[in-house]
Amino acid sequence: FKTLFKEALSAKRSFSLIRLSDGEGYLFPNGSHFTHDDCRNRERHWWGTELPPALSTQIVAEARSAISEADMVGIPSIHRFIRDNSEGSPSLTQSLQGRGLVEVLTGIERLASETAVFTEDKANVAIFADPKNLRWVTDIAERVVIISSIRKDALESVFDTLANIELIEIPTHHKTTLNPKYCKGTMPLPYAYPAIVDVIDRTVCSGDLVFVAGGIIGKILLGHCRRKGAVAIDLGHVIDDWISLNSSALR
């Protein structure tokens, strides 16, 4: 990881790591495991509303495009199946989460680039659970951009010693809309992301290191950052753990 990231940053070469877990079964709508009802369930869970079919189709297409261009793809490993199942489990697809995992593994080989490197979907935890591990990449990057739903003042307690950080706020997950540390936004993320893409186009430059925490829509944003020449990392829920720290993690 360190070698790949450092080489891309030093050469100002575009690079993206995109991770797929159970929710990303949503991105394989023509599969045989993750159902239409499962997709609508996830929309309500993530955004508090079901999407018009045309918008859902657009999101799936744009996210899949980003995944097909990714240099590194995180996929579910056997450890997740061991955690979620037992000898008495009748099927890996007995739950919504299980169907999502199986759908991802069934479809990813046909979607990912032939040159993509595969890793675990929880690689973000292994690498960046401790914010101090950011030092070996932030010291190389000319600028760091963080795209997440966490408010700027909440992140400042983590990054108060780093001056080269740009924050782009996005509407948060439905379950955290009442949490003052997160940006509620004026509309759910699926309706707001085209405007966020415009901000990315004006903000992100070649050589930037970009961390994205945005769920399904985050895959689209990662793809745009890569196309701008950035090194884009799918940070995911790890960023939520950072803000629970009592003092600056990078001091």
Side-chain angles (χ1 to χ4, degrees):
F1 280 114
K2 288 185 178 181
T3 299
L4 289 171
F5 294 166
K6 284 182 176 180
E7 287 179 351
L9 281 171
S10 298
K12 292 188 177 182
R13 184 178 69 248
S14 59
F15 182 95
S16 66
L17 161 61
I18 295 182
R19 301 175 304 101
L20 310 178
S21 191
D22 58 274
E24 279 67 44
Y26 184 89
L27 300 178
F28 299 86
N30 297 319
S32 56
H33 305 288
F34 205 72
T35 68
H36 176 80
D37 287 342
D38 290 338
C39 290
R40 304 293 81 78
N41 176 293
R42 293 298 83 186
E43 290 174 351
R44 297 191 299 271
H45 174 67
W46 295 327
W47 306 308
T49 185
E50 294 184 12
L51 302 184
L55 179 56
S56 175
T57 299
Q58 173 184 318
I59 288 170
V60 168
E62 292 186 21
R64 286 175 62 91
S65 177
I67 295 166
S68 71
E69 299 168 1
D71 303 272
M72 182 176 288
V73 180
I75 58 175
S77 74
I78 192 172
H79 304 290
R80 177 66 184 272
F81 291 95
I82 292 173
R83 189 195 77 176
D84 293 353
N85 294 274
S86 69
E87 292 181 359
S89 298
S91 169
L92 294 176
T93 60
Q94 63 186 327
S95 67
L96 183 152
Q97 288 77 16
R99 290 191 292 277
L101 296 172
V102 172
E103 198 69 80
V104 166
L105 291 178
T106 301
I108 188 57
E109 187 175 10
R110 294 187 298 275
L111 177 59
S113 165
E114 292 183 356
T115 60
V117 177
F118 284 89
T119 186
E120 268 193 77
D121 70 309
K122 302 305 180 189
N124 59 328
V125 177
I127 307 170
F128 296 119
D130 184 349
K132 293 178 181 177
N133 290 338
L134 292 174
R135 280 296 188 193
W136 53 266
V137 283
T138 56
D139 288 345
I140 302 172
E142 294 182 2
R143 188 174 61 148
V144 178
V145 180
I146 297 178
I147 303 173
S148 83
S149 63
I150 298 177
R151 291 188 176 276
K152 182 177 181 179
D153 54 355
L155 277 176
E156 283 177 347
S157 63
V158 180
F159 295 104
D160 62 4
T161 61
L162 293 178
N164 63 335
I165 288 187
E166 182 87 18
L167 300 178
I168 299 176
E169 296 179 348
I170 63 177
T172 194
H173 191 290
H174 179 59
K175 70 179 181 182
T176 49
T177 51
L178 299 180
N179 189 323
K181 292 184 178 181
Y182 294 82
C183 305
K184 181 178 181 179
T186 58
M187 63 183 74
L189 183 54
Y191 297 94
Y193 86 88
I196 297 165
V197 169
D198 290 341
V199 175
I200 289 173
D201 287 340
R202 296 193 303 267
T203 305
V204 174
C205 302
S206 176
D208 286 350
L209 171 62
V210 184
F211 291 106
V212 179
I216 288 289
I217 302 296
K219 317 310 175 190
I220 298 173
L221 306 182
L222 285 157
H224 277 277
C225 291
R226 185 188 186 281
R227 293 175 199 127
K228 294 287 290 184
V231 173
I233 306 300
D234 190 352
L235 187 62
H237 67 279
V238 165
I239 198 169
D240 300 292
D241 299 327
W242 291 354
I243 63 171
S244 66
L245 301 174
N246 294 324
S247 60
S248 172
L250 294 175
R251 183 173 293 149

